[in-house]
Amino acid sequence: SLSGHSGALRCLKFSSDCQRLVSGSEDHTVRVWDCSSGDLLATMCGHEENLSSLAISPCGKYVASSSDDGVVRLWDSVTGVALFVLEDHTDSVNTVKFSPDGQLLAACGDDETVRFWNVETGEPGDVWELGLGYVMSMEYSPDGREVITGHRDGNLRFWNAKSRSPGPVLRGHTDNVMCISFSPDGQRIASASGDSTIRLWDASAYTLISMYSTSSAVFDVSFSSDGLTLALADGSKNIRIWDGSSNGSSVGQPGHSSAIMSVAYLPTGESILSGSVDKTVRQWDSRTG
């Protein structure tokens, strides 16, 4: 159990080498932890409101954070030094992502836009003024050719990453799409929503595979390394594990004293991390619970 934040945990990300965990909190800070020892490596301060999203660059050199203060910040992942403060959004920023090649940083927000920046220079790039209401979440396809956005109306929309040409629209959710995640093999997409459901989609056929309902809004979802199961943060005190193929589910052992808001599978698959309103991060054995 990792303690140190003074506010609820909103987001968690692992580095690709599984050596570091990055956490973002309602205490307005980003913290970097050593996954083996649990030691705190760096604390990044600067945001003026709650953290909303985190991303680690494919090379591992950078951490990006977004906040309800409308600002995106790019940090050195080792030293914790702020490299760029990107203030182009005019309202809360909901999600931040690196492109798969690590060259671009993208973010979406309540100003109904998706914005892009050059990672090396911090220079602003394209601005997608979608005019479709709040853009709650986004994700790149693994090959970087498509961007998927999740909206307040419950729809997921596909876009050509270079031309912004619109593609298919996945309909079914009836509330905010809070999170979008690709399976490791890129064949499936999981979407989590405020309508208390998780939906699993075929990424090439753009069709619904299965759906799982919970008793409250689903804030976060993370695929296991083999892509067979998903960990869910549904606002309860326990991690929920869902098998998207069989539609079976299980609930992890108690540990948190308040709602879980974020989850992350270790890329190697043996552990799951959970972040809670109780201000702690907990690491769980994914096989035994």
Side-chain angles (χ1 to χ4, degrees):
S1 178
L2 307 178
S3 301
H5 281 292
S6 59
L9 270 293
R10 294 275 295 266
C11 34
L12 297 171
K13 291 294 178 184
F14 276 113
S15 61
S16 58
D17 62 6
C18 305
Q19 298 301 306
R20 289 169 296 165
L21 171 73
V22 183
S23 58
S25 168
E26 290 185 0
D27 64 9
H28 309 170
T29 69
V30 178
R31 293 174 186 251
V32 182
W33 311 83
D34 184 290
C35 286
S36 299
S37 66
D39 292 339
L40 179 65
L41 302 177
T43 300
M44 304 166 183
C45 303
H47 284 294
E48 298 178 357
E49 297 290 343
N50 297 340
L51 270 290
S52 58
S53 178
L54 291 171
I56 301 178
S57 63
C59 66
K61 291 170 57 179
Y62 308 113
V63 171
S65 58
S66 65
S67 168
D68 294 345
D69 62 11
V71 176
V72 174
R73 291 175 180 262
L74 190 67
W75 314 83
D76 185 298
S77 66
V78 176
T79 65
V81 172
L83 303 174
F84 299 112
V85 180
L86 309 172
E87 300 178 299
D88 302 276
H89 280 282
T90 59
D91 208 331
S92 298
V93 184
N94 297 318
T95 303
V96 62
K97 295 287 181 179
F98 286 96
S99 60
D101 63 9
Q103 295 182 12
L104 293 177
L105 180 64
C108 63
D110 287 358
D111 61 3
E112 305 186 23
T113 70
V114 179
R115 296 174 183 267
F116 300 84
W117 297 268
N118 182 292
V119 170
E120 293 296 329
T121 66
E123 289 297 314
D126 292 341
V127 178
W128 295 2
E129 297 181 353
L130 300 183
L132 296 167
Y134 294 174
V135 189
M136 304 301 299
S137 53
M138 65 173 294
E139 182 61 282
Y140 274 97
S141 61
D143 61 11
R145 295 179 180 178
E146 293 179 301
V147 170
I148 300 92
T149 53
H151 297 264
R152 199 172 189 179
D153 62 7
N155 292 333
L156 284 77
R157 297 176 181 270
F158 285 72
W159 311 86
N160 183 288
K162 290 186 177 180
S163 69
R164 207 194 107 175
S165 299
V169 179
L170 305 183
R171 294 180 170 88
H173 286 298
T174 59
D175 205 335
N176 296 339
V177 180
M178 308 294 290
C179 176
I180 303 169
S181 179
F182 270 89
S183 61
D185 63 6
Q187 298 301 305
R188 294 179 295 168
I189 301 168
S191 55
S193 172
D195 65 6
S196 306
T197 69
I198 298 285
R199 292 174 184 258
L200 192 63
W201 311 85
D202 185 301
S204 55
Y206 309 108
T207 55
L208 182 67
I209 298 172
S210 57
M211 182 182 73
Y212 180 72
S213 297
T214 71
S215 59
S216 61
V218 185
F219 300 102
D220 199 10
V221 59
S222 178
F223 273 100
S224 60
S225 56
D226 59 13
L228 298 178
T229 58
L230 298 101
L232 316 180
D234 63 355
S236 66
K237 300 176 184 179
N238 307 86
I239 296 176
R240 191 174 299 275
I241 306 297
W242 176 45
D243 185 322
S245 300
S246 67
N247 220 26
S249 67
S250 60
V251 178
Q253 296 179 7
H256 286 291
S257 59
S258 296
I260 295 173
M261 302 292 289
S262 53
V263 289
Y265 261 101
L266 192 71
T268 52
E270 70 266 20
S271 297
I272 304 171
L273 271 288
S274 56
S276 168
V277 175
D278 67 12
K279 308 173 188 177
T280 67
V281 179
R282 292 177 182 264
Q283 184 173 9
W284 308 85
D285 188 302
S286 63
R287 294 157 294 186
T288 67

